[in-house]
Amino acid sequence: MSSLLEMKNISKSFSGNKVLSGVNLLVEEGEVHALLGENGAGKSTLMKILGGIYTKDGGTISIDGEEVQIHSVDDARDKGVSIIHQELMLAEHLTIAENIFMGREIKNKAGIVNLKKQEQIAQGFLDQYEIGLESNLRLDKLTIAKQQMVEIIRAVSFGAKIIVMDEPTSSLSDAEVEILYEMIRVLKKKAVAVIYISHRLNELYDITDRITVLRDGESVGTVVTKETKRQQLISMMVGRDLSSYYTKTDNVVNETVLKVTDLSDGNKVKRVNFDLKKGEILGIAGLVGAGRSETVECLFGLTQKKAGIIEYKGKEVAFKNPREAMAQGFGFVPEDRKQEGLFLQSDVRFNTTINIVERFLKKLLWNRQKENEIVSEKIDDMHIKVTGASQIVSKLSGGNQQKVLIARWLCSTRTVLILDEPTRGVDVKTKAEIYALIDNLAKSGMSIIMVSSELPELINMSDRVMVMCNGYSTGILKRDELSQENIMTLATTEVGA
Amino acid sequence: MEAKKTKENWFASFGRSVLAGLKTNGGIIIGLIIICIILGIMTDPFLTIRNFTNIMRQISINVILACGMTMVIILGGIDLSVGSIIAVSGCLCCGLITNMGVPSYAAIPISILAGTLVGIFNGAVISRTTIPPFIVTLAMMNIGRGFARIYTKATTILVDDELFTFIGSGTVLGGIPIHIVYMVIVIAVSALILNRTKLGRNIYAVGDNKQAAAYSGIHAKKVTMTVFVIMGFFAACAGIISSARTFSGQFNVGEGAEMDAISAVVLGGTSMSGGIGHLSGTIIGCVVIGVLNNGMNILGIDSSWQYVVKGIVVLLAVFIDYFKKIRE
Ligand SMILES: Nc1ncnc2c1ncn2[C@@H]1O[C@H](COP(=O)(O)OP(=O)(O)OP(=O)(O)O)[C@@H](O)[C@H]1O
Ligand SMILES: [Mg+2]
């Protein structure tokens, strides 16, 4: 019997730069098949070829044993392939039903959309997959996780046989990940194949049957998940063993840099208390919606505090905007790199140096050499995979985009660096590098606030962790108290409800 | 480190900018050369020094506007009011000199200020609200034109003034038309702003991703305001020059100038959605439009057809650009 999907010898170059060469992928019916590989290994590119977004240079794609030509997204859809992108492609101001039927509305003879009928059918799908939602809800009323469900339902409603999920969990909380798993299990039962891309190895063990590893645009091999150890996966992916994953030294100096008392932004942040010492890494934990990002955004002057006191180096401060915060030595790597972080149409150089332009743009002179030196130093230090400093950032793989964003803040010394999900979409090797980097920054006397949804990361990297629930800080755990259970208990402790 | 410290030389650096400009604008330069060759073969007077200076004079106003427009469009905006600003400053200046007897050395700065005020208004509204620049400047286009009409009572105000005449048609340094001097100054100022200042970087940043710009501590309001004020100032200066060239203030001066400026910017490869663009492209765009106008005039092509041709050229350029992007 032939496989459901067979991609053979796929190759692809972007303007002479070889990204995939001779990649093979075999996926069976009802299988959850992981694609694993470092940032820039070519996972997304391979899937975009399958989804009709890019055209391959060479190789063949067969579905159900029959060779197919996929030239566009519509082609792919006709052949039963749907991609759930990391950035959801839905219209926020339309209802669930309207989104599901977007582009193929059910119309009556006069050409008027039959909303009732659409809602009925959509509801059918929602019920079938046991998603407790009404199909006439507007999308912006839903959490990201729910929106993702809708996107998956949309794919299913197209009759998808193969659903690709490119880093689907990167903005989900643990509970939401569970819901996604549940959905994947239902898809499996219906013989749909799921291709699952994630940098979180735990997830692969949770949900996938087999794993295909890519390295530098070549397939290294396919393994059965159950029979493969973590170390084995990592060495397949990286090409060598990764000795130390977390780098953590004790750098805390007993000198309070920042003290936050009863902070509130009048919205999601209700009452937050913590202090930050010099050289300390303070983790912030909590479920999605706990107000973690909102808290750090308020510290950085992106929103204004309504109540409470922020004391910085012993003086009360209230930054009206990020400019003031930056002038005082604050730095901020935002959560959503595409919306809040990067200048996607501009090149790596521009993105890296935007905060320090006065260093090489002086008196109407542009010291390119200096700028290039700064940029290539960062590219080397952080092993950013680029064709050069002039590569446009939107053409980089997700993880490398994240590195560029972090690199931006390493160009200048900061007293307090706020990192919101710093390792989102970053591969294991790079994660290890980023951890070492963070540790080094702390060693140099910088104080770090790290918001993260990855508990192992918080537990292993933080000196202390502040836990939040519904806008309140529910406790601060010291290093020896850090454990998943302790964090989760505090993360679900309702205050003043 | 120390050994490598060759101090960046102003001219070497300038040369590199020009080279980079040529490289990014390869396509349109080839197009321009083809047009020139065709026109050179078809007509005798096209390839002469005299005609060349002519073209330079003809495109000077558009270059001034297009330089400002490049910044506006890279910022992610658009300014439709520049043609009307030309009328406001030009007519006001002529009125002040002829009807009120204000000496020209005072009338000129006053009128430039008046024109710039329109830019200040545009900038203030656009930077402080989320009203689209298209709407704000469209309204100002009508208001400005209306005022010019009211002020001139829909007639032509003639001016006889020495300084004014010199501004409009003088020569400097033994025969160089003063228009070329204006162009060089405006291009230099704009190029310096865009490529050699923090403001320039910030213009690109805001145009690329406003939210990310805010997260990087960029004062987007101030940047937007500054750009629209510069645009207003450039347009106001262009207004004085336009009126001086015809020794008169006409209420319809500069009508449609915004479209020529936008066309030049688009021809030069600047993205209408902001964040991407080069001044060098815009300048070549201006030359293309100028050469087309001039060549078609020499060929005696009816002005209605000239519009059609110019429209097609712009469409062609955008299509080529579009397909280039698709292929990537
Ligand atoms: N449109 C494009 N133009 C040029 N280069 C591209 C383009 N898309 C991807 N690349 C390059 O192809 C390589 C593979 O990118 P891809 O996005 O497939 O990586 P990935 O495995 O998904 O990585 P990540 O885990 O970081 O998401 C990268 O080096 C990237 O720079
Ligand atoms: Mg990817």
Side-chain angles (χ1 to χ4, degrees):
Chain A
M1 207 192 85
S2 52
S3 306
L4 172 61
L5 170 71
E6 184 166 3
M7 297 181 84
K8 236 184 180 159
N9 242 333
I10 305 288
S11 61
K12 174 79 188 168
S13 307
F14 289 108
S15 35
N17 180 28
K18 208 154 185 73
V19 171
L20 296 175
S21 54
V23 173
N24 299 314
L25 178 67
L26 271 174
V27 180
E28 306 295 339
E29 222 177 73
E31 175 188 34
V32 182
H33 195 115
L35 268 189
L36 183 64
E38 289 181 74
N39 294 131
K43 305 176 296 289
S44 298
T45 306
L46 184 67
M47 289 303 106
K48 284 179 183 165
I49 288 174
L50 180 62
I53 297 163
Y54 296 151
T55 39
K56 58 186 189 309
D57 296 343
T60 56
I61 302 176
S62 314
I63 291 177
D64 282 329
E66 210 173 296
E67 189 175 337
V68 293
Q69 301 299 330
I70 297 175
H71 297 296
S72 67
V73 177
D74 286 337
D75 275 357
R77 201 168 276 160
D78 285 344
K79 308 274 166 9
V81 178
S82 270
I83 301 192
I84 314 295
H85 292 278
Q86 195 180 334
E87 312 77 35
L88 299 175
M89 305 275 179
L90 300 169
E92 297 236 304
H93 55 277
L94 297 182
T95 64
I96 295 179
E98 281 168 323
N99 267 293
I100 288 179
F101 285 97
M102 207 184 341
R104 41 161 195 163
E105 287 78 6
I106 301 176
K107 294 183 184 145
N108 64 16
K109 286 194 203 80
I112 293 166
V113 179
N114 188 340
L115 290 177
K116 273 273 148 322
K117 182 121 181 246
Q118 288 192 7
E119 278 168 21
Q120 262 168 26
I121 301 177
Q123 193 62 51
F125 278 113
L126 291 173
D127 295 344
Q128 196 182 340
Y129 284 86
E130 293 163 24
I131 301 168
L133 288 175
E134 298 294 322
S135 65
N136 58 3
L137 266 178
R138 257 172 61 146
L139 218 72
D140 46 13
K141 300 262 186 302
L142 307 182
T143 61
I144 298 285
K146 291 278 161 57
Q147 292 186 18
Q148 207 170 42
M149 306 279 128
V150 174
E151 179 110 37
I152 295 172
I153 292 288
R154 182 172 145 83
V156 171
S157 74
F158 275 108
K161 289 185 284 189
I162 302 165
I163 297 182
V164 179
M165 303 185 182
D166 196 347
E167 303 193 29
T169 52
S170 58
S171 41
L172 302 189
S173 66
D174 287 352
E176 290 169 327
V177 171
E178 251 336 296
I179 301 174
L180 177 72
Y181 285 172
E182 207 39 60
M183 179 116 196
I184 292 177
R185 286 185 196 113
V186 179
L187 288 172
K188 247 180 99 144
K189 259 185 236 142
K190 303 202 187 262
V192 174
V194 174
I195 302 177
Y196 190 95
I197 302 180
S198 175
H199 288 293
R200 301 182 183 165
L201 296 182
N202 287 345
E203 291 178 2
L204 304 195
Y205 285 102
D206 287 342
I207 193 77
T208 69
D209 302 307
R210 290 195 301 160
I211 303 172
T212 293
V213 181
L214 294 189
R215 185 168 72 223
D216 289 333
E218 293 176 28
S219 29
V220 182
T222 301
V223 295
V224 175
T225 311
K226 275 197 297 244
E227 300 165 0
T228 316
K229 294 231 163 55
R230 276 181 99 85
Q231 273 312 317
Q232 216 173 325
L233 280 179
I234 292 175
S235 55
M236 276 176 87
M237 191 159 86
V238 184
R240 62 177 170 81
D241 287 337
L242 211 58
S243 49
S244 63
Y245 192 48
Y246 297 107
T247 315
K248 176 79 191 100
T249 47
D250 187 2
N251 306 305
V252 183
V253 178
N254 198 5
E255 177 188 324
T256 304
V257 175
L258 189 69
K259 188 167 163 53
V260 173
T261 319
D262 291 339
L263 180 72
S264 157
D265 69 352
N267 189 15
K268 285 261 182 72
V269 183
K270 306 228 167 66
R271 201 168 67 226
V272 172
N273 290 289
F274 69 90
D275 63 332
L276 180 68
K277 302 235 153 49
K278 188 172 176 191
E280 181 178 41
I281 301 174
L282 177 77
I284 301 188
L287 303 176
V288 169
R292 297 168 301 169
S293 295
E294 288 78 1
T295 302
V296 287
E297 278 168 8
C298 187
L299 287 180
F300 193 59
L302 281 156
T303 53
Q304 302 308 308
K305 72 174 163 76
K306 286 281 142 56
I309 301 165
I310 303 173
E311 255 176 279
Y312 175 56
K313 290 181 175 165
K315 274 205 231 59
E316 187 174 345
V317 292
F319 302 128
K320 283 202 279 300
N321 50 49
R323 249 171 309 129
E324 290 185 11
M326 283 164 69
Q328 295 282 325
F330 277 65
F332 184 65
V333 176
E335 176 180 21
D336 184 339
R337 60 172 168 259
K338 292 214 164 129
Q339 300 281 339
E340 303 161 345
L342 294 168
F343 303 102
L344 286 170
Q345 299 167 304
S346 306
D347 60 15
V348 173
R349 182 184 300 118
F350 182 98
N351 271 280
T352 310
T353 58
I354 186 71
N355 287 344
I356 52 156
V357 288
E358 49 290 324
R359 262 196 240 165
F360 47 83
L361 288 177
K362 270 186 221 150
K363 301 192 188 112
L364 298 180
L365 266 178
W366 174 12
N367 191 339
R368 283 164 222 245
Q369 195 185 327
K370 187 159 177 191
E371 182 174 17
N372 285 332
E373 270 166 22
I374 297 172
V375 176
S376 27
E377 189 191 308
K378 287 288 167 293
I379 291 177
D380 291 347
D381 280 0
M382 301 190 60
H383 309 287
I384 306 177
K385 196 176 168 192
V386 293
T387 53
S390 317
Q391 190 170 16
I392 303 298
V393 162
S394 64
K395 304 272 167 79
L396 299 184
S397 79
N400 284 300
Q401 292 181 352
Q402 182 70 17
K403 289 196 205 172
V404 171
L405 187 55
I406 296 179
R408 179 187 299 166
W409 287 103
L410 301 185
C411 290
S412 52
T413 24
R414 303 275 111 198
T415 322
V416 176
L417 183 62
I418 301 168
L419 303 165
D420 197 349
E421 305 284 0
T423 61
R424 167 173 294 178
V426 170
D427 68 49
V428 274
K429 185 168 140 220
T430 311
K431 269 188 190 166
E433 285 167 11
I434 291 180
Y435 296 143
L437 205 97
I438 293 176
D439 186 60
N440 237 326
L441 293 175
K443 199 175 285 167
S444 73
M446 205 183 276
S447 305
I448 287 161
I449 298 177
M450 179 170 79
V451 176
S452 173
S453 300
E454 282 189 51
L455 293 183
E457 171 174 298
L458 283 174
I459 292 170
N460 285 290
M461 289 307 298
S462 313
D463 293 297
R464 289 182 302 157
V465 170
M466 171 181 77
V467 189
M468 289 186 65
C469 178
N470 281 338
Y472 295 90
S473 50
T474 49
I476 293 183
L477 297 167
K478 293 205 200 65
R479 189 151 174 80
D480 50 13
E481 301 164 339
L482 288 176
S483 70
Q484 305 232 2
E485 299 79 63
N486 286 348
I487 291 178
M488 286 321 289
T489 312
L490 285 174
T492 46
T493 306
E494 299 277 343
V495 176
Chain B
M1 270 303 273
E2 282 306 303
K4 265 202 283 178
K5 213 181 162 195
T6 46
K7 194 164 178 287
E8 186 93 22
N9 172 305
W10 219 92
F11 286 98
S13 172
F14 175 73
R16 228 166 315 150
S17 302
V18 172
L19 267 182
L22 289 178
K23 227 166 71 188
T24 40
N25 300 304
I28 182 169
I29 292 177
I30 293 171
L32 177 61
I33 293 173
I34 294 174
I35 297 175
C36 287
I37 292 175
I38 296 176
L39 286 173
I41 294 171
M42 286 174 73
T43 67
D44 284 337
F46 180 75
L47 285 180
T48 55
I49 303 272
R50 209 186 125 96
N51 193 44
F52 176 76
T53 19
N54 239 337
I55 294 175
M56 287 299 128
R57 208 190 336 261
Q58 285 158 358
I59 66 172
S60 57
I61 297 292
N62 196 27
V63 168
I64 296 173
L65 295 178
C67 282
M69 195 65 83
T70 307
M71 293 185 227
V72 171
I73 293 181
I74 291 176
L75 185 82
I78 187 113
D79 192 341
L80 300 178
S81 66
V82 294
S84 297
I85 295 178
I86 287 185
V88 167
S89 72
C91 295
L92 180 65
C93 188
C94 295
L96 285 177
I97 296 173
T98 302
N99 299 346
M100 322 241 325
V102 178
S104 54
Y105 58 80
I108 292 168
I110 292 173
S111 327
I112 291 181
L113 184 69
T116 311
L117 276 176
V118 180
I120 294 176
F121 180 83
N122 285 337
V125 175
I126 293 164
S127 64
R128 278 174 176 68
T129 67
T130 52
I131 306 173
F134 188 94
I135 306 296
V136 176
T137 58
L138 180 70
M140 287 316 281
M141 172 172 114
N142 289 325
I143 294 171
R145 185 66 61 190
F147 268 123
R149 216 180 160 112
I150 295 165
Y151 186 76
T152 58
K153 303 194 179 68
T155 58
T156 299
I157 306 173
L158 289 173
V159 175
D160 182 14
D161 180 275
E162 210 173 310
L163 177 62
F164 208 56
T165 311
F166 174 73
I167 287 177
S169 43
T171 57
V172 287
L173 299 173
I176 300 175
I178 196 161
H179 289 91
I180 295 186
V181 178
Y182 298 142
M183 267 195 293
V184 170
I185 293 175
V186 170
I187 292 172
V189 168
S190 309
L192 288 176
I193 291 177
L194 275 172
N195 302 320
R196 304 278 177 89
T197 64
K198 189 171 174 176
L199 172 65
R201 290 276 170 131
N202 290 351
I203 292 174
Y204 281 96
V206 172
D208 193 321
N209 185 345
K210 212 169 183 172
Q211 199 179 357
Y215 275 68
S216 299
I218 291 170
H219 200 336
K221 271 187 202 162
K222 196 163 108 191
V223 174
T224 307
M225 181 78 192
T226 313
V227 168
F228 276 95
V229 173
I230 293 174
M231 178 78 262
F233 176 74
F234 280 3
C237 294
I240 305 292
I241 300 168
S242 294
S243 294
R245 190 151 70 187
T246 55
F247 317 103
S248 63
Q250 301 163 9
F251 68 88
N252 60 355
V253 60
E255 230 164 26
E258 63 282 347
M259 288 307 155
D260 272 351
I262 295 168
S263 302
V265 175
V266 171
L267 272 179
T270 295
S271 154
M272 287 300 282
S273 52
I276 310 175
H278 296 279
L279 193 68
S280 51
T282 297
I283 294 159
I284 299 167
C286 289
V287 176
V288 169
I289 293 180
V291 164
L292 278 175
N293 276 338
N294 173 276
M296 289 192 290
N297 278 336
I298 296 179
L299 286 172
I301 294 176
D302 177 58
S303 70
S304 322
W305 280 105
Q306 294 197 10
Y307 280 111
V308 176
V309 171
K310 276 193 286 182
I312 291 176
V313 167
V314 171
L315 266 184
L316 206 69
V318 209
F319 270 127
I320 293 172
D321 198 47
Y322 173 74
F323 285 115
K324 230 168 56 191
K325 276 208 193 101
I326 290 257
R327 260 236 319 270
E328 274 176 19

